[in-house]
Amino acid sequence: MLKIIFGEVENSVYHPPTYFDNQYEDEWITDPLTVAMIRDIDKSEVVGPRLIESPVLGPIPVKEISGGVKTLILMAFDQSGRIFNASACGDNCAKWIAEIGRQKNLTINLHHVMDFSSVPAFEAVMLNTGATVHSYGEYLEAAIQIKER
């Protein structure tokens, strides 16, 4: 289940890309979920656990993938229990955040109202209020109310 909390959160990782660079494990990179996310978000191909083929940059090390994909990989694989700042991701990561939230309990921190409009059957718990939303429209209403406080 996806859980969202808006605003500052104690002990959350505000800049996930830096945390990723120091914590990721090689096996995360070759997992089919990661391969799909890198292909979709960065339009790049995983060659191996330490090499990505970018159509723009050519062969790059894993540490050069986008901050959004780094954050998604942490959400999917990091076992520390940390909450990651999903505002480090672009809205193009929203469908992957929702997918990871369907696969496991995932709590994210947002500092903006992320656009989940492309996510069919969106569902999340808004931790600021405890409300469960069952659609993008409900999420948007709840998020706007939280942000206006």
Side-chain angles (χ1 to χ4, degrees):
M1 171 63 85
L2 177 61
K3 298 173 186 165
I4 301 170
I5 187 163
F6 284 92
E8 297 300 319
V9 176
E10 190 173 324
N11 297 322
S12 70
V13 178
Y14 185 77
H15 195 257
T18 300
Y19 181 85
F20 174 90
D21 288 348
N22 293 289
Q23 298 296 321
Y24 83 91
E25 298 177 18
D26 287 347
E27 60 266 18
W28 297 357
I29 305 308
T30 55
D31 185 277
L33 177 62
T34 300
V35 170
M37 292 187 302
I38 290 172
R39 183 176 292 135
D40 180 49
I41 303 298
D42 287 357
K43 310 298 185 228
S44 298
E45 296 297 326
V46 174
V47 176
R50 297 188 180 163
L51 183 63
I52 309 298
E53 182 67 37
S54 165
V56 176
L57 303 172
I60 59 172
V62 171
K63 289 185 178 184
E64 297 300 318
I65 61 177
S66 70
V69 171
K70 288 178 179 183
T71 304
L72 291 171
I73 294 169
L74 288 169
M75 289 175 187
F77 299 104
D78 184 80
Q79 298 295 315
S80 70
R82 297 187 188 280
I83 297 172
F84 295 102
N85 173 19
S87 288
C89 299
D91 288 336
N92 61 338
C93 294
K95 71 178 183 180
W96 291 107
I97 292 170
E99 177 59 32
I100 295 165
R102 280 191 284 277
Q103 294 179 15
K104 69 180 224 178
N105 283 326
L106 173 64
T107 301
I108 64 169
N109 178 227
L110 283 171
H111 296 272
H112 78 290
V113 179
M114 183 169 268
D115 182 358
F116 286 99
S117 63
S118 65
V119 178
F122 181 76
E123 185 173 57
V125 175
M126 309 298 282
L127 292 178
N128 298 78
T129 62
T132 299
V133 296
H134 301 90
S135 68
Y136 174 67
E138 288 179 11
Y139 156 79
L140 195 55
E141 285 181 35
I144 290 169
Q145 288 176 353
I146 292 166
K147 294 294 283 176
E148 287 178 346
R149 289 183 183 179

